[in-house]
Amino acid sequence: MIRIPISEKQKEEMEAIYWNWMERYHLEKLLAIIAKDAIFKELVMDGKADLLDALKTYLFSDCDELERQKSRIDNMRAENKYIKQETEDYLKARYENFRNSQAAKIVQVMNLTVCPYCNQNHLNLVYQEGKLRYWGSLDHFYDKKTYPELAVCLYNLIPVCKVCNQLKSCQKAEIAHPYQYKKQSSIQFKTVFDDKLDLDYLQGKSQNFRIAIEESQLTQEDKEEIRLFDLEHRYQQLKQNVQEIIIKSKAYDAVYQKQLESEFGFSREELDAYIFGYTDNHLNRVLSKFNLDMVKEFMG
Ligand SMILES: [Zn+2]
């Protein structure tokens, strides 16, 4: 739902953390595994001459590249070509190791504190015995059961909450890759009011309305996301938030706005964000996207 912009500097840092982990502890064994598995080798080499170079490129495939690799794997399967069980087990075990030892550092570099799929749950980083630990989940965008070949590709791993990870792991869906920043999501929340005779909800006095998602702009990928993560149901419980926003929007009139602006020295945009609880990119505040949509609906 929320795309994750990753700057060149962040990419560099993430790849440095990854490669340090790989080179120090696993590279030698991985190269030996590749040497013994012709199918996996073909996949990694991808027509290149230098194995180490090819491996690095493979492991750091971006979202477009991952999509291409996935197609290559599908084609190989069609020809009945599979990587060896030993390779699969090794890659899955490396993933577990990466998750336990490196995910916290990656999440920190990404500056991500909220799940990008639902924008409802925190991704907690916790200090435990002097070590930073990540308590959220890592989603394999291309699931590791179907595509174990991509189990340790850095950009196939997406920090998400446990609820979303569970929902995604037990269903198939074609959604947009969260690192695909160019493909913005069109998911937009709104309220729907059925009973024309009761307008109390517009005063924030009743919960006689429903929270819905605007359907007119949705792409196929957005629709899949809504279904996969059960977004409409998961947002129904937020009527209280809507009421608060309606009441705040009434209390926060032009005179009060001016007063706040001069008293605190904030811009109008900054004040709106603080009062109604949203941020620019939605990735470090829960419900930021929802709150912003509600503010747009009720404040224009
Ligand atoms: Zn989530």
Side-chain angles (χ1 to χ4, degrees):
M1 187 165 80
I2 313 295
R3 305 286 177 262
I4 306 167
I6 305 178
S7 69
E8 282 308 312
K9 188 171 171 281
Q10 283 171 314
K11 264 180 111 164
E12 251 173 57
E13 283 180 50
M14 286 162 69
E15 290 174 15
I17 290 167
Y18 185 102
W19 195 251
N20 182 46
W21 163 79
M22 173 59 76
E23 203 171 28
R24 281 176 74 174
Y25 306 110
H26 313 289
L27 186 61
E28 210 178 305
K29 181 79 200 286
L30 180 57
L31 290 172
I33 291 269
I34 295 171
K36 283 192 283 179
D37 188 332
I39 304 294
F40 190 50
K41 189 171 182 182
E42 186 187 333
L43 192 69
V44 171
M45 290 304 284
D46 198 13
K48 294 180 185 70
D50 182 71
L51 175 60
L52 198 58
D53 214 35
L55 178 64
K56 223 171 171 175
T57 307
Y58 179 80
L59 294 172
F60 295 151
S61 297
D62 65 10
C63 18
D64 292 333
E65 263 302 292
L66 282 169
E67 199 179 335
R68 193 178 68 83
Q69 297 295 6
K70 175 201 168 280
S71 304
R72 290 181 67 221
I73 296 165
D74 288 337
N75 292 339
M76 283 180 159
R77 302 264 164 82
E79 293 171 30
N80 222 2
K81 290 171 160 177
Y82 293 87
I83 61 168
K84 289 185 173 169
Q85 190 60 49
E86 187 194 354
T87 310
E88 183 171 333
D89 294 344
Y90 182 76
L91 292 174
K92 284 181 178 168
R94 267 350 79 200
Y95 160 69
E96 293 297 334
N97 183 289
F98 180 82
R99 198 225 160 289
N100 295 333
S101 66
Q102 310 298 313
K105 297 178 206 166
I106 297 286
V107 171
Q108 202 174 32
V109 170
M110 290 172 82
N111 195 20
L112 201 60
T113 58
V114 176
C115 174
Y117 285 147
C118 66
N119 198 223
Q120 281 197 342
N121 297 321
H122 282 288
L123 303 178
N124 290 312
L125 287 173
V126 178
Y127 270 102
Q128 237 181 350
E129 294 157 10
K131 266 194 153 183
L132 191 64
R133 293 192 190 277
Y134 172 55
W135 279 17
S137 293
L138 278 186
D139 170 47
H140 281 89
F141 185 74
Y142 296 111
D143 73 278
K144 67 178 184 304
K145 194 160 174 254
T146 321
Y147 298 101
E149 297 88 344
L150 303 173
V152 286
C153 289
L154 177 61
Y155 299 108
N156 193 34
L157 306 176
I158 297 154
V160 300
C161 75
K162 291 189 190 302
V163 178
C164 287
N165 197 40
Q166 272 293 320
L167 287 169
K168 186 164 172 290
S169 65
C170 59
Q171 301 171 75
K172 287 255 176 266
E174 300 236 336
I175 61 171
H177 195 298
Y179 301 156
Q180 183 60 275
Y181 196 46
K182 285 166 262 165
K183 273 193 192 173
Q184 280 301 334
S185 160
S186 302
I187 295 175
Q188 189 105 30
F189 295 98
K190 63 176 184 179
T191 61
V192 178
F193 174 61
D194 301 319
D195 183 357
K196 301 270 183 296
L197 298 172
D198 176 8
L199 295 170
D200 273 359
Y201 103 101
L202 290 175
Q203 304 297 321
K205 289 179 187 162
S206 89
Q207 293 199 349
N208 185 21
F209 63 91
R210 191 165 60 80
I211 292 165
I213 293 171
E214 175 60 48
E215 282 180 19
S216 59
Q217 307 287 326
L218 297 177
T219 63
Q220 190 52 39
E221 285 169 327
D222 293 330
K223 288 178 190 167
E224 283 279 270
E225 248 179 76
I226 294 164
R227 180 190 65 76
L228 181 67
F229 299 116
D230 198 22
L231 292 178
E232 216 165 76
H233 288 118
R234 285 169 75 186
Y235 272 84
Q236 277 315 314
Q237 49 190 312
L238 295 171
K239 288 186 179 181
Q240 176 89 35
N241 293 45
V242 178
Q243 283 182 288
E244 283 170 15
I245 285 175
I246 295 171
I247 290 166
K248 276 185 195 167
S249 72
K250 301 213 172 296
Y252 179 55
D253 62 10
V255 178
Y256 187 42
Q257 265 171 43
K258 277 271 165 285
Q259 198 185 329
L260 288 173
E261 275 172 43
S262 62
E263 200 169 319
F264 292 101
F266 291 128
S267 70
R268 167 74 198 274
E269 287 76 21
E270 285 169 324
L271 272 175
D272 280 357
Y274 292 134
I275 289 169
F276 296 103
Y278 60 85
T279 55
D280 280 346
N281 66 8
H282 305 310
L283 289 165
N284 45 22
R285 173 136 200 175
V286 288
L287 305 183
S288 172
K289 166 73 173 123
F290 178 77
N291 289 346
L292 179 59
D293 287 351
M294 289 302 121
V295 167
K296 281 186 192 155
E297 181 175 337
F298 291 102
M299 291 191 68

